[in-house]
Amino acid sequence: MQTRRLLSAFGLSLGLVSPALVSPALAATDLRGGGFLTDFVGCESAGWAGTATITSRWRLAGLPENHATLSRITILLNSGVINYSFDFQPGDYPELGEWFPVNTALIFGSAGTASDVQLRVLETSPIDQVTDGATTVFVAFELQNFDGTPGCNARGRVALAVQ
Amino acid sequence: MTLFSRTRLTLAGLVAAATLSLSPAAMAQDFLGGGTIAEFSGCEEQGWSNPQMIRARMRLAATATNGMNALSLFLTDGTVTLTIPDPLAPGGTWRRIWGGAVWDEPGGWDPRPRVRIRNVFVIGGATPATAEDLLIRLRVRGFNWMPYCEATVVLALTRR
């Protein structure tokens, strides 16, 4: 995969999607779907193991009605929800496979934040499919300290549709 | 506790353990994950339009399932099932499958839906049977009892 094509290509390509597909009522462009988190490592103290099915919403910067630079990823688990956010100027996106820090807010027993959480996107749908106007995409990613538990890492995949 | 009752309990435990180890569930190849049902077309009758966020489970075809891939799609207000004969592979033709749902009560879709499998990305293996992850994109025609309603099901799954 070419460099600098992480969320920029992902997002910009989707930005070419017909405005008719974007619900004005939402005043935002979301990618919505679900997938899983799995391969939990170092998460025993937090109780994560096996596979967790998730639903997920991605509000990427630069898409119609969205913030210009701030992106948000929400992961909804059975037991709670985690929201990751990150802010990059256009052109400054991390490369595929490159770790970057994310701000993390979560609600399990109570609302809170987590520090030292890092995310990297490993692959997205073949970019040519996205640029051909596909409205559904696959994303693979990894997380470090994913719920704020030091040393607790996991990987995941999602299938998302433009809303 | 008498010797007889202890023996009986022991035997019962052994039988239960053997039953568990032989149960189809234990031998089945299940994948878990989620995705979306999106790109609705011709579904206005029931009001389907926006992408649905779903969790999903798929049991791969095997002898125990008579060669059927059993897909369960869990929406917030009900469950859809799609039963797809092998092969689980992309193709350009519409194939007749079985569909059903549980909303207020369970029911099978009539007319039976058709499916066109657009993508099956196998990750960590050569075939779905050996895959670590599966990414699936398929188009369903005849969604939820509506003969002309089409929807795209897109799933990211991992081996249970």
Side-chain angles (χ1 to χ4, degrees), chain B residues 3 5 17-18 48 52 64 75 83 87-88 103-104 107 128 140 150 159:
Chain B
L3 178 62
S5 61
W48 297 90
Q52 304 291 309
L75 297 90
T83 305
L88 190 71
W103 304 111
D104 300 312
V140 179
E150 290 189 15
R159 185 175 292 274

Side-chain angles (χ1 to χ4, degrees), chain A residues 55 57 74-83 105-108 110:
Chain A
T55 52
R57 184 175 67 239
T74 304
I75 292 179
L76 301 111
L77 298 119
N78 278 326
S79 54
V81 60
I82 306 176
N83 179 272
L106 37 81
I107 301 176
F108 285 92
S110 59

Side-chain angles (χ1 to χ4, degrees), chain B residues 88-144:
Chain B
L88 190 71
T93 58
W94 289 99
R95 296 161 54 195
R96 187 76 76 178
I97 63 169
W98 287 265
V102 180
W103 304 111
D104 300 312
E105 59 183 359
W109 292 353
D110 182 18
R112 280 171 52 195
R114 296 172 185 265
V115 69
R116 179 185 280 171
I117 299 177
R118 288 182 172 170
N119 306 112
V120 177
F121 297 118
V122 177
I123 296 154
T127 65
T130 59
E132 182 179 8
D133 296 346
L134 285 174
L135 305 176
I136 297 171
R137 183 183 280 123
L138 55 86
R139 185 77 170 162
V140 179
R141 178 182 290 170
F143 183 81
N144 209 40

